[in-house]
């Protein structure tokens, strides 16, 4: 069973159910081919390239298919990942707490060089906000995380997010 696509930079999306992980992946990769599956752990991946001025990053973006509750499978899921996007929903404080747990787990057990991003999704619903941007931003700063608020619905900052990550991937050429 091969879960690594040659020449692709593995990126995993983590976070509580319903925060918008699948929506973010689909918004960014719109219409692209889902070409890898790991059905035993209910994960799938979509490939998408990001063109930088003098480099190209081919992302294999892994998304869980609603299997977030099987936490024990997580290490299989994020093994060999170069980047992780930990998503919470700005209108659900509990999802922020779960995101912090993911960050801590990745920092303790994941590859030390993994690029971790903390993402507050559903920024279009700011009238129902439960997580202050400043608080999350400060947490991200203290933990060396990229931080953005996004909306998979409007597309706000979705491209930015993947470009910022791509820029941090060391040039392999
Ligand atoms: P997942 O379980 O983390 O993969 O979450 P989904 O991508 O399935 O999204 C869960 C629900 O939130 C769906 O009804 C989405 O339409 C909705 N959703 C996802 N992203 C956004 C967003 O940025 N804004 C709003 N308003 N709804 C969103
Ligand atoms: Mg999903």
């Amino acid at each position: 069973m091969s879960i690594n696509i040659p020449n692709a930079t593995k990126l995993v999306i983590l976070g509580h159910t319903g925060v918008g992980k699948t929506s973010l992946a689909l918004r960014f990769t719109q219409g692209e081919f889902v070409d890898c599956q790991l059905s035993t752990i209910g994960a799938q991946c979509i490939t998408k390239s990001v063109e930088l001025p003098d480099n190209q990053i081919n992302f294999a973006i892994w998304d869980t298919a609603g299997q977030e509750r099987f936490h024990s499978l997580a290490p299989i899921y994020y093994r060999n990942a170069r980047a992780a996007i930990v998503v919470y929903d700005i209108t659900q404080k509990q999802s922020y707490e779960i995101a912090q747990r993911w960050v801590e787990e990745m920092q303790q057990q994941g590859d030390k060089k993994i690029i971790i991003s903390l993402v507050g999704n559903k920024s279009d619903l700011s009238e129902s906000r439960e997580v202050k941007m400043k608080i999350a931003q400060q947490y991200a700063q203290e933990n060396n995380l990229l931080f953005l608020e996004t909306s998979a619905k409007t597309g706000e900052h979705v491209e930015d997010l993947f470009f910022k990550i791509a820029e941090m991937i060391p040039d392999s050429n």
Side-chain angles (χ1 to χ4, degrees):
M1 180 178 64
S2 170
I3 58 167
N4 298 312
I5 300 170
N7 306 318
T9 298
K10 181 175 175 183
L11 180 157
V12 293
I13 307 186
L14 302 163
H16 195 43
T17 307
V19 296
K21 297 180 299 298
T22 301
S23 302
L24 281 171
L26 293 179
R27 162 64 80 164
F28 180 62
T29 58
Q30 241 158 35
E32 299 214 14
F33 189 52
V34 176
D35 54 3
C36 33
Q37 285 216 0
L38 192 53
S39 56
T40 48
I41 64 162
Q44 60 177 23
C45 100
I46 312 175
T47 53
K48 165 100 176 173
S49 298
V50 171
E51 300 285 343
L52 297 174
D54 40 33
N55 195 12
Q56 181 186 341
I57 304 292
N58 303 310
F59 280 123
I61 301 167
W62 285 84
D63 177 29
T64 57
Q67 307 303 98
E68 296 89 338
R69 63 194 181 279
F70 299 122
H71 196 113
S72 57
L73 294 172
I76 303 173
Y77 177 64
Y78 60 68
R79 187 166 57 205
N80 298 327
R82 306 292 301 280
I85 299 177
V86 181
V87 186
Y88 66 93
D89 171 350
I90 67 157
T91 73
Q92 299 290 338
K93 189 152 194 277
Q94 192 206 0
S95 74
Y96 176 66
E97 287 155 6
I98 290 169
Q100 288 178 304
R101 270 186 259 149
W102 274 119
V103 166
E104 281 147 33
E105 177 173 336
M106 294 300 296
Q107 287 184 330
Q108 282 161 19
Q109 292 176 37
D111 183 331
K112 296 295 169 234
K113 286 177 294 194
I114 193 164
I115 296 157
I116 306 176
S117 306
L118 179 67
V119 170
N121 188 44
K122 308 198 186 181
S123 61
D124 57 291
L125 300 178
S126 59
E127 72 280 3
S128 315
R129 178 187 288 278
E130 285 186 4
V131 183
K132 286 201 177 91
M133 182 153 131
K134 271 199 171 161
I135 302 237
Q137 214 161 24
Q138 190 176 349
Y139 173 81
Q141 205 167 20
E142 287 166 4
N143 288 278
N144 273 318
L145 315 171
L146 250 166
F147 173 76
L148 276 177
E149 284 195 352
T150 59
S151 169
K153 185 176 178 181
T154 68
E156 185 182 43
H157 293 151
V158 176
E159 290 241 321
D160 274 4
L161 169 65
F162 289 91
F163 271 84
K164 284 202 159 98
I165 296 168
E167 283 170 350
M168 292 180 71
I169 304 285
D171 194 342
S172 54
N173 301 320

